[in-house]
Structures are given as C-alpha cells and as structure tokens.
Amino acid sequence: MDEKQSKRWRLILGQGTEEQLGSPMLGDEDSIMDAALAAIYDGKDTDLDDRWGGVGQCQRFPNISKWLGDVRSFFPPDIVSVIQNDAIERKGLTQLLFEPETLSNVKPDISMVGALMSLRGQIPEKSKESAGALVQAVVDEIMKRIETDLRRAVTGALNKKEHSPLPSLSGTDWKRTISKNLKNYDMANRRIIPERFYFFERRKRSKDWTVILDIDQSGSMADSIIYASVMGAIFASMPALDTRVVAFDTEVVDLTEVVRQDPVDMLFGVQLGGGTDINKSVHYCAGLIENPKKTMFILISDLYEGGVAAGLLRKLQEMKESGVKCMVLLALSDSGTPSYDRDLGQKIANLGIPSFACSSDALPMLVEGAMKGFDLMALAENCKTRDKKSK
C-alpha cells in the first residue's frame, strides 16, 4: 500500500489505526479533515454541545462554527450533506441550529430544512432570519430546477390558442386581419377584400383547471412537503390554474393564500409529526371541487391512516367516478420510495387510483399526462420507469 492509499485509509478509519497502516504522515489539511471527521465518527456518544460548550455557547466556543466551515472547505457538497445529517443524528447538532452563527455556516440542503421545520416553534427570535435564509436558498434551488418544465407541461396540456375561429364583431382583431389581407387590396375600389377575419379568443371567467394538493404533515413526509410547497407556489402563479393547497395531521389547514404569497412562510407554518386523519382532509378537499372533470386531486401521504380508512376509500372512489383526476404520491422527492401502508395503498390502487412515489423530475410528465386525459395507472408506471432509469 503506497503512502497516498495509507493516508486515505487513515482518514476513513480514524485515530488509533496508525500502527496498522504504517503511521502515515498527515499534512495540515489532512489533519483538519481528520479532526472534522473525528468530531462525528470517533465512536463516542458525546454530543457536539458537550464537546464544544453546550447549546447557546457558540460565541464563547467558536469551534462549532469552525467545524462547519472546515467541513464545507475540505469536502465536496454531497459529502457535506451526509456529514451534516450524521452530525444531527449522532451528535445532537440539531440544537446548535438555534444559533445564527451556526446557521450561517450550514450548507443549505433539504435535510436541513426538514430539521428546521420540525423545530420551528423552538427557533429563537435572533435565529429566525438566518433560518429563513437557509430555507429560502433551498426553495429557490428547487424552484429553479423544476419551474420551467412544470410550466411547459401545463401550457402544453392546456394548448391555449391566441385566436379563435368564432366570429364576433367586438372580438375582431383588426390589426391582424388587415395585415394578413393586404395582398387582397382592390386597387379599383380602393379597399381590402378580406379572405379571412381573425378574432381574439373570449376570455374565460373561470380557470381552466383546479389543482388541489393535499399534504400529509407527518414527520416522515418532510422532503415531500418541501417539494409540494414549491409545486404549489408554481401552480398558484399560473393564471390558468385555480390552485388549492391543504395540509393535515388530525386537523385540516388550508394554506392556499400562504403558499401564493411565499412558500417559505408555508413551510414554517407546517407542524411536522402528530396524528394523521387522511379521511377528514380528503372530505374537506372534496368540498372544494366545482368542476370534477377539470380537477386534479393529488394526495401526498404515506397512508398511515389514523382516521376512518373505509370512509377515505369511499370518498376517493366518489371523486374518481365523478371525473376527478385522483392520484396518491407516497413521496414527492428524489430520495426513493418511503415506508408506507402497503395494504391501504393496494386498496386505493384497486380503485384505479395510482399510488406511487414520484421524483421532481418525473412530476411535469405526470401533470401534463393527467390534464391530457391519459390513463393514470399507465402514467404512474411510466413515471416509475423513468425514475428507475435516472438512478
């Protein structure tokens, strides 16, 4: 084993392995990386706050911020996320997220947002601005990644045209009509003889589609809630869609107005954990439906029902039979299929309502296909196939 390999294994295996590896010499940068890894992976049960001075002591014990800075400096972004998540689970870093100095050094990622959401009621006033900035950075990144494709999918499904063939004097597009018929100018009579008139499409008073997002607030759904809030904000910004966003545990909260204003505010309004009454929430959402054949209902839940499962199944069946495009997303994230109630999922699938995990990349195809009237069960299979190929 050469020196480079020995040094790499030394960093992986940690202190106490020098003799077996031939005592590789660690340089300054290697030593910093070794110390950063040892703080999390040294096998001891000591919390970071015990090691470095306790919660609320970042100013007196700046090593915490230095550790976060070292991790971000010497490891690639994907590894940084893994180390930060392990710090939360192994060493109690969650409590340290209350400090603005610490938050400013944390790499924004979806797991960090989930941790902050779960602690939203405990974040001190001095740290709220830093916490909000971290959440905003993650929301902006997801928005940038999915917004264009999602808008294109909806626009393609609706296929709205600028002009209409229906005649209406008040709706005549005179400018275009004259421009297109200049070739038909009658010199003798000094007038244009139109071959065709063009008319503006009459504006519809109602939206083309209603999209209802019904989001489970249980703790295991944190990633899905983040993606759903961004999706809801994109839908809400599209004039052709009437978007409703609902969240539930044992109670139901309509967050439509909040998500229209700011998805970050919605995320801080979510209360992760607690019981689950999917049946109550689905009944509430059913009351929002005015035109079933132009409504898409998306339930985002792991289906661990604490309410009346039989009532949930009846209501879903009624909605489907009325023409509503119903689907259940067991997860809306890029982290794979979560744990979920397979028995209830199968019963819902037996109704002809697909229940599956969907990645953010497959989401636009799902939405467009549903609006175009494609078979939802086949569409779900296509989404699953696409996700498998992308992994």
Side-chain angles (χ1 to χ4, degrees):
M1 184 183 301
D2 61 29
E3 183 178 352
K4 185 176 180 181
Q5 288 178 317
S6 296
K7 188 182 297 183
R8 185 170 296 177
W9 278 110
R10 163 64 182 79
L11 290 172
I12 293 172
L13 298 175
Q15 298 176 5
T17 60
E18 290 88 348
E19 184 176 345
Q20 298 92 315
L21 296 172
S23 300
M25 295 294 294
L26 298 182
D28 291 342
E29 290 190 1
D30 296 327
S31 296
I32 294 173
M33 293 173 66
D34 183 50
L37 292 172
I40 306 301
Y41 303 108
D42 63 359
K44 298 176 182 179
D45 295 328
T46 308
D47 282 353
L48 281 174
D49 47 340
D50 292 333
R51 176 190 295 272
W52 283 327
V55 177
Q57 303 298 320
C58 286
Q59 290 180 340
R60 289 176 53 199
F61 300 89
N63 289 352
I64 299 169
S65 293
K66 180 182 182 300
W67 174 79
L68 285 164
D70 290 342
V71 168
R72 294 181 67 179
S73 297
F74 293 104
F75 296 94
D78 55 337
I79 301 301
V80 172
S81 294
V82 172
I83 294 174
Q84 287 180 171
N85 293 337
D86 285 346
I88 287 176
E89 295 178 4
R90 293 167 175 252
K91 301 294 181 178
L93 183 62
T94 297
Q95 295 298 316
L96 302 174
L97 293 178
F98 292 163
E99 296 295 337
E101 296 87 348
T102 307
L103 282 170
S104 64
N105 284 290
V106 169
K107 175 187 177 292
D109 64 30
I110 200 164
S111 296
M112 288 297 112
V113 173
L116 288 170
M117 287 167 58
S118 67
L119 298 167
R120 67 178 183 86
Q122 304 172 47
I123 299 175
E125 194 65 35
K126 66 178 181 178
S127 300
K128 286 183 178 179
E129 184 176 349
S130 297
L134 188 149
V135 175
Q136 185 69 62
V138 174
V139 167
D140 289 345
E141 188 277 327
I142 297 173
M143 184 80 74
K144 181 180 179 181
R145 180 151 51 90
I146 71 174
E147 183 173 18
T148 299
D149 287 342
L150 199 53
R151 285 182 177 275
R152 186 183 295 120
V154 172
T155 302
L158 298 178
N159 194 25
K160 290 176 70 69
K161 296 181 179 180
E162 183 182 355
H163 291 82
S164 168
L166 299 177
S168 168
L169 181 61
S170 62
T172 303
D173 184 348
W174 290 109
K175 183 176 180 180
R176 190 175 185 196
T177 298
I178 293 170
S179 174
K180 291 289 186 181
N181 288 284
L182 283 174
K183 60 183 178 179
N184 302 316
Y185 186 73
D186 185 336
M187 297 293 293
N189 295 306
R190 301 178 66 182
R191 67 181 63 181
I192 294 174
I193 302 176
E195 285 184 351
R196 178 183 175 186
F197 283 85
Y198 293 84
F199 305 91
F200 289 112
E201 183 177 17
R202 292 183 178 179
R203 298 196 176 196
K204 298 179 180 179
R205 293 183 179 179
S206 61
K207 304 281 189 176
D208 290 292
W209 274 79
T210 296
V211 178
I212 302 174
L213 303 180
D214 194 18
I215 307 169
D216 188 339
Q217 294 188 96
S218 56
S220 60
M221 299 297 294
D223 286 11
S224 297
I225 294 170
I226 295 165
Y227 278 102
S229 70
V230 175
M231 179 172 68
I234 295 170
F235 284 155
S237 69
M238 302 180 71
L241 302 181
D242 179 19
T243 305
R244 305 299 298 263
V245 179
V246 175
F248 66 91
D249 42 34
T250 54
E251 300 298 327
V252 179
V253 181
D254 196 319
L255 296 172
T256 301
E257 293 303 320
V258 179
V259 79
R260 283 174 181 168
Q261 298 298 321
D262 189 348
V264 173
D265 287 344
M266 176 191 151
L267 290 174
F268 277 117
V270 166
Q271 179 63 60
L272 292 177
T276 307
D277 193 336
I278 310 173
N279 178 47
K280 180 189 290 187
S281 184
V282 171
H283 275 73
Y284 174 84
C285 291
L288 304 175
I289 298 171
E290 296 181 358
N291 183 355
K293 297 184 185 301
K294 288 290 185 180
T295 298
M296 184 190 312
F297 173 70
I298 304 176
L299 172 62
I300 304 170
S301 173
D302 54 16
L303 299 179
Y304 288 112
E305 172 66 305
V308 183
L312 167 64
L313 293 169
R314 282 195 300 271
K315 181 54 66 175
L316 286 173
Q317 184 173 18
E318 289 174 10
M319 291 166 64
K320 180 180 180 295
E321 290 176 350
S322 71
V324 176
K325 303 291 184 181
C326 297
M327 63 192 79
V328 177
L329 302 186
L330 304 169
L332 177 55
S333 72
D334 300 323
S335 56
T337 304
S339 170
Y340 68 97
D341 188 323
R342 295 182 179 274
D343 180 59
L344 185 54
Q346 185 58 56
K347 289 178 179 177
I348 292 174
N350 291 342
L351 300 176
I353 298 174
S355 301
F356 63 106
C358 180
S359 72
S360 60
D361 290 336
L363 182 62
M365 179 179 72
L366 174 67
V367 171
E368 182 176 10
M371 288 184 172
K372 286 182 174 178
F374 294 172
D375 179 84
L376 292 184
M377 298 296 283
L379 196 61
E381 288 302 318
N382 288 339
C383 285
K384 293 177 187 177
T385 301
R386 174 172 174 165
D387 284 345
K388 286 180 181 178
K389 288 181 178 179
S390 65
K391 291 178 181 178

